[in-house]
Amino acid sequence: MNKAEDEKQGDGGRFKGTTFQDLLDQETVEVPEFLRLQSNPPMGDEDLSVDRYISQDFFDLEKDRMWPKVWQMVCREEDIAEPGDHHVYNIIDNSVIITRTPSHAIRGFINSCLHRGRCLRDESGTVTEFRCPFHGATWDLDGQFQGIPCQWDFDHLADRDMALPEVKTATWGGFVFINFDPDCEPLESYMGVMPEHFSRYPLEKYFKGVHVQRVMQCNWKVGAEAFMESWHTLETHQQILTFTGDENSQYDTFGDNVSRSVTPMAVHSPHLENISDEAIIRDILKLSGRMALDSDEGVEMPEGISARRYVADMNREMFEEASGEDLSDATMAELEDAILYSLFPNFQVWVGYNGNIVYRFLPNGDDPHSCIFDVMILLRYPEGGERPDPAECVVIPEDQPFSSVAELGALGPVFDQDDANLPAVQRGMKASKKGTVSLASYQESRIRHLHATLDNYIKS
């Protein structure tokens, strides 16, 4: 078959060989409607200026016009499970204390003493009150002012409202979100299709099994965009091509705030030929980091079954054991494929029944040339059983690789490969004489979607 015959026209792009939708046709159970959706309206092919990544002026526009207006994920509910538990969230010049109150409500208070402005909390933890380390001004867990030493010297404050200023808070899937805008739309409507598309995966019942954080020497968007397309696999992650349908990936956008990529697994890349099912099984178990096993030792494939079916059935058995849930109606796609959703601006989470990866890229203070990368892995525990304690955040020094964290398993070396690119992207854009970046029409459409939504804020 020649190249022209081997390509299939997709919605907004071209696919080589078998598409994700073709793979769904091979399912033996009912396919959820959200997997059948294809939504990729044309978004133009104009270049993007590198100033969007390297300019302090552009960064300041984001700081002033975008970050104060968007819903942003700050932590997991399980991170602040009991009254007094709190998480300190810093975003550029803003700092918020997200706490569990005595009534078990979740509230977000501006992390600034109303006396001299010192941060009330320097780090996350557990307290019975918020007491300023500078002079001792104190607030209870509901943000109500309790007093200050030498109260006699503050009679002029007696009639003032000294409650801690708050931000909007909301939860979804066990995640806590905040918004600095008091007039913002509700989180549920901001998320668009995501709650419906995740209805089969009760993420609030999962627990945080891994949490790793590291500073990356690139703009926060450079980092986030690295996880919005799969075709860099061909050059950057060559070791996973034997079981990753990189060029077969489907890309969708839904409204202003949501996009997704769907990359088939347990099928080889269209760039390779003559890859046996045995080779696919061997490599996916060793190198994926998301399968039921991390080794092919002792694994023998029965005849007459594809690698895709074999891996799905293996994962189904393990995921059922982990959750106590009957997954007989789960598709192969849900059990093994890389189905990644993004919520503008920086929250990314995988669909699935176990081992859901979460990414977040935050600006690193006021620096447009570095960011903070968080990766979490959500795991299951038996229904009705005691929730395991959430993993502590492991902060990796910049001079150490992701692969130094054993809990990441096979994902660590993959992140190290990405980390080899991202600082070089930042340096290269600074050096660029072209002054722009050019995006693929289809495979990088999610990146263009992110910038279109960003423009809605910074141009308003």
Side-chain angles (χ1 to χ4, degrees):
M1 181 178 294
N2 62 39
K3 181 178 180 180
E5 293 172 335
D6 194 40
E7 290 185 344
K8 297 184 179 182
Q9 183 68 36
D11 183 7
R14 301 187 69 83
F15 299 96
K16 184 178 180 182
T18 304
T19 71
F20 174 66
Q21 295 299 318
D22 292 334
L23 292 173
L24 291 181
D25 291 339
Q26 301 173 14
E27 299 284 356
T28 57
V29 297
E30 183 177 357
V31 176
E33 182 180 354
F34 81 95
L35 290 178
R36 285 294 191 185
L37 290 177
Q38 296 183 76
S39 176
N40 194 278
M43 304 191 69
D45 290 313
E46 297 80 10
D47 284 358
L48 298 180
S49 171
V50 297
D51 286 344
R52 302 176 78 89
Y53 305 92
I54 67 174
S55 163
Q56 185 69 52
D57 288 342
F58 192 89
F59 184 92
D60 289 344
L61 285 174
E62 295 175 342
K63 177 175 69 174
D64 295 339
R65 300 183 183 182
M66 187 271 286
W67 289 109
K69 298 289 186 180
V70 296
W71 283 102
Q72 42 205 289
M73 187 273 285
V74 296
C75 63
R76 291 280 294 172
E77 290 188 68
E78 61 197 294
D79 292 327
I80 51 170
E82 300 298 331
D85 292 350
H86 61 278
H87 178 83
V88 175
Y89 177 72
N90 298 314
I91 177 71
I92 312 180
D93 294 334
N94 287 310
S95 184
V96 179
I97 304 169
I98 300 89
T99 191
R100 184 78 66 168
T101 71
S103 65
H104 279 264
I106 294 174
R107 299 177 72 174
F109 301 112
I110 298 297
N111 188 18
S112 177
C113 178
L114 299 184
H115 168 221
R116 292 274 291 277
R118 191 208 190 280
C119 289
L120 290 171
R121 296 295 298 162
D122 296 326
E123 58 187 16
S124 306
T126 303
V127 294
T128 57
E129 61 186 9
F130 298 120
R131 185 177 182 86
C132 181
F134 196 2
H135 293 90
T138 304
W139 287 261
D140 66 19
L141 297 178
D142 284 304
Q144 296 302 307
F145 185 54
Q146 300 300 294
I148 187 171
C150 299
Q151 188 83 45
W152 60 265
D153 211 9
F154 291 90
D155 287 345
H156 53 289
L157 300 182
D159 295 330
R160 294 191 191 179
D161 181 2
M162 291 290 287
L164 292 175
E166 290 190 62
V167 298
K168 291 273 192 177
T169 62
T171 61
W172 171 81
F175 295 97
V176 181
F177 292 79
I178 66 164
N179 196 315
F180 291 96
D181 182 3
D183 300 318
C184 64
E185 68 176 303
L187 175 63
E188 185 175 4
S189 62
Y190 183 90
M191 296 187 76
V193 301
M194 280 187 67
E196 177 186 354
H197 288 199
F198 276 78
S199 61
R200 291 163 67 90
Y201 324 104
L203 299 185
E204 66 278 3
K205 295 183 179 180
Y206 298 16
F207 74 97
K208 186 174 66 172
V210 178
H211 187 179
V212 172
Q213 184 183 92
R214 185 167 176 270
V215 170
M216 309 279 276
Q217 293 302 316
C218 64
N219 185 270
W220 70 272
K221 297 184 296 296
V222 170
E225 290 166 13
F227 294 86
M228 290 185 171
E229 48 86 5
S230 297
W231 74 285
H232 71 278
T233 301
L234 178 63
E235 189 66 28
T236 301
H237 308 302
Q238 295 182 9
Q239 78 277 11
I240 69 173
L241 289 174
T242 52
F243 58 85
T244 304
D246 55 331
E247 196 176 341
N248 303 122
S249 297
Q250 177 177 311
Y251 300 94
D252 298 296
T253 61
F254 304 99
D256 289 336
N257 299 324
V258 180
S259 69
R260 76 172 175 193
S261 59
V262 184
T263 301
M265 307 297 283
V267 295
H268 67 77
S269 167
H271 298 284
L272 303 181
E273 296 180 353
N274 301 320
I275 305 299
S276 67
D277 280 344
E278 288 74 17
I280 294 174
I281 292 293
R282 178 197 66 218
D283 289 350
I284 197 171
L285 294 182
K286 289 181 179 179
L287 303 174
S288 167
R290 293 185 62 249
M291 300 299 125
L293 301 175
D294 58 9
S295 170
D296 67 334
E297 184 176 351
V299 173
E300 295 184 7
M301 280 188 60
E303 293 185 5
I305 187 172
S306 68
R308 185 168 171 82
R309 172 65 64 184
Y310 186 78
V311 169
D313 288 345
M314 182 186 300
N315 282 353
R316 188 193 320 272
E317 181 178 350
M318 190 271 276
F319 297 167
E320 286 184 335
E321 182 178 353
S323 65
E325 182 180 355
D326 178 11
L327 300 179
S328 58
D329 66 341
T331 61
M332 291 185 286
E334 296 168 282
L335 292 166
E336 59 192 324
D337 289 341
I339 306 174
L340 175 60
Y341 280 72
S342 294
L343 179 69
F344 184 84
N346 65 334
F347 174 59
Q348 304 188 37
V349 58
W350 291 45
V351 155
Y353 294 100
N354 192 62
N356 300 56
I357 309 173
V358 179
Y359 307 124
R360 181 182 64 180
F361 286 88
L362 286 171
N364 185 24
D366 209 30
D367 180 15
H369 305 297
S370 66
C371 64
I372 300 171
F373 175 40
D374 283 88
V375 58
M376 307 176 189
I377 302 178
L378 305 184
L379 302 173
R380 295 300 300 272
Y381 61 98
E383 183 75 24
E386 183 177 353
R387 176 191 290 272
D389 291 334
E392 296 288 335
C393 180
V394 177
V395 179
I396 309 174
E398 284 189 69
D399 61 352
Q400 291 186 19
F402 288 96
S403 52
S404 67
V405 180
E407 291 84 352
L408 287 174
L411 295 174
V414 174
F415 293 147
D416 287 336
Q417 290 171 328
D418 289 318
D419 187 40
N421 283 330
L422 302 185
V425 170
Q426 194 72 18
R427 291 194 302 270
M429 287 194 295
K430 291 181 187 179
S432 173
K433 300 305 180 186
K434 176 186 173 186
T436 60
V437 295
S438 302
L439 301 178
S441 297
Y442 180 70
Q443 294 183 97
E444 292 174 316
S445 56
R446 296 179 68 211
I447 297 174
R448 196 175 297 281
H449 177 260
L450 180 149
H451 285 269
T453 301
L454 178 55
D455 282 345
N456 291 338
Y457 290 93
I458 65 173
K459 293 181 178 179
S460 60

